[in-house]
Amino acid sequence: MFVAAGLAHLVAPGIYRPMMPPWLPAHDALILVSGLAEMGGGIGLLIPRLRVAAGLGLIALLVAVFPANLQMLLNAMRDHSPWPEQLILWLRLPLQLVLIRWVWRVSRSPRSSAP
């Protein structure tokens, strides 16, 4: 999952530009770096000796990208998007905690069920 999502950052960075908070600098560079980090973390979870470090890196990344998830919701509210879209974006915010917990568990596991 993380490798595919990271690859999407590299192949289609334009998808990610609207979710970048305006207060962050160098949007394109941040999209590239976050994509590479996501891919590296996903691969790292598959390698036993890198699993813990990769998990910590992915958790840091999930925390770091939270403002982008919030920005998506703010954009939808500003644009008066349909309520189902806004609801999904509201639900996406606590999903970050679920993903963090999942990465934590996978990175501590001797055998990986990694994404």
Side-chain angles (χ1 to χ4, degrees), residues 3 5 7 14-15 18 20 26-28 35 44 51 53 66 75 91 97 100-101:
V3 174
L7 186 59
I15 295 170
M20 296 297 291
H27 290 175
D28 288 340
R51 192 167 295 139
F66 186 81
N75 292 348
L91 294 174
L97 295 173
I100 287 169
R101 172 100 169 112

Side-chain angles (χ1 to χ4, degrees), residues 50-61:
L50 299 178
R51 192 167 295 139
V52 171
L56 292 173
L58 284 172
I59 289 168
L61 182 64

Side-chain angles (χ1 to χ4, degrees), residues 2-3 10 34 53 56 83 92:
F2 286 110
V3 174
L10 307 181
S34 64
L56 292 173
W83 72 265
R92 185 177 174 157

